Amino acid sequence: ADTDTLNAKLDVKHEDESWVHSGGVSMLRAEANDLRTANRFEIGGKSAYKFNERHYLAGVARYESDDFSPFENQWSVAITYGVHAIN
């Protein structure tokens, strides 16, 4: 069988006393016998403000495009409040 696969991923993160920023992108593309069997792209990011060592507020966004999913394109956006219960 003649198959080609490309799988790539990149994640970045920056953190200081008050803020945490992270993001990433990933891609998967595959072909077998000149027939595409996977075609997926995803990008997302998160920013969080730390009120103190335990409490934070974050915003998260993610986009996904997958030709072989029931939903060709999807967006997710959320705002969260978190507490680190165990350190």
Side-chain angles (χ1 to χ4, degrees):
D2 181 23
T3 62
D4 294 316
T5 302
L6 172 64
N7 193 359
K9 183 174 184 176
L10 173 68
D11 289 318
V12 294
K13 181 177 181 180
H14 173 74
E15 184 172 354
D16 61 27
E17 264 186 40
S18 299
W19 288 93
V20 178
H21 303 289
S22 61
V25 62
S26 65
M27 182 182 127
L28 170 63
R29 181 173 237 168
E31 291 184 7
N33 298 323
D34 295 326
L35 179 65
R36 185 166 296 154
T37 57
N39 191 33
R40 178 185 173 120
F41 174 77
E42 183 178 327
I43 187 167
K46 174 182 177 181
S47 287
Y49 179 76
K50 299 183 275 186
F51 296 108
N52 54 41
E53 290 182 14
R54 296 187 62 207
H55 299 266
Y56 65 92
L57 183 67
V60 182
R62 181 175 163 264
Y63 170 76
E64 177 186 326
S65 174
D66 189 344
D67 291 348
F68 295 89
S69 169
F71 303 101
E72 194 171 306
N73 297 299
Q74 296 184 73
W75 274 99
S76 300
V77 177
I79 295 176
T80 64
Y81 177 80
V83 176
H84 293 285
I86 299 172
N87 190 6

